[in-house]
Amino acid sequence: MSDDMEDVVGVLTEQIERRFAMSMQELKSTVAVAPDANREATDLVKWHGLLTQSHEAVVRAEDALLAALETQPDVVDDPTMALARRVNATVAARDGRAMVIRWLLDPNAYGKQGVEAERLARLSRGARTGPAVSTSAPARPAAPASAQGRGALR
């Protein structure tokens, strides 16, 4: 596990705690009680949880890869290469989640001001709980008199 990523998780956690003036655990508890009270807090808690899960997955994948590499001679076999690809995939997922948190924390980030922000606000404002169009069943036409009865006529 790289110290750099631990630092990134720690830095992001500190920034979140500083923004809300409470520890991450307190913020999680507050969001659990009232998830609709502060959309930003809810989003940050969600993504922070995803980030820590991804970080744990990276640690497990790296440990498995290191264990496999210790048993390898000079040539790396296919199962070990598959472990290396798994490490790459988990690192990419973790880094992507870290970028989302950075975006959520940055008030000047692209899409948070100007036309993009207005469009996003318009979409999230008054979020629908149901379909936009009425979905009542259409009226069924009355069956013709000759088609009434059992079965189909041939």
Side-chain angles (χ1 to χ4, degrees):
M1 169 177 60
S2 67
D3 291 334
D4 292 340
M5 194 55 208
E6 279 186 12
D7 291 343
V8 169
V9 172
V11 166
L12 292 174
T13 301
E14 288 174 12
Q15 289 176 359
I16 294 168
E17 290 173 343
R18 203 172 23 246
R19 165 150 304 144
F20 295 100
M22 60 178 72
S23 72
M24 199 64 207
Q25 196 58 41
E26 291 171 324
L27 185 59
K28 288 178 186 178
S29 298
T30 303
V31 165
V33 171
D36 296 327
N38 186 326
R39 176 91 172 151
E40 181 185 21
T42 302
D43 288 345
L44 281 166
V45 165
K46 171 190 164 189
W47 283 99
H48 186 270
L50 292 171
L51 175 65
T52 55
Q53 287 174 357
S54 291
H55 182 67
E56 291 165 4
V58 168
V59 170
R60 287 190 304 272
E62 285 177 340
D63 289 346
L65 177 60
L66 288 174
L69 287 172
E70 289 175 355
T71 64
Q72 295 292 307
D74 294 337
V75 179
V76 176
D77 61 8
D78 289 340
T80 305
M81 286 303 295
L83 288 172
R85 285 189 289 276
R86 190 174 103 202
V87 168
N88 285 338
T90 57
V91 167
R94 179 193 64 192
D95 292 351
R97 291 171 177 180
M99 285 190 289
V100 170
I101 292 174
R102 286 186 196 114
W103 184 85
L104 289 169
L105 287 169
D106 183 1
N108 298 318
Y110 179 79
K112 289 189 173 183
Q113 297 178 352
V115 176
E116 299 88 11
E118 291 173 18
R119 186 175 304 137
L120 183 62
R122 197 172 33 248
L123 289 174
S124 63
R125 189 177 338 137
R128 292 188 182 109
T129 57
V133 179
S134 174
T135 57
S136 60
R140 297 180 100 181
S146 62
Q148 292 178 348
R150 297 170 98 184
L153 299 174
R154 292 184 191 190

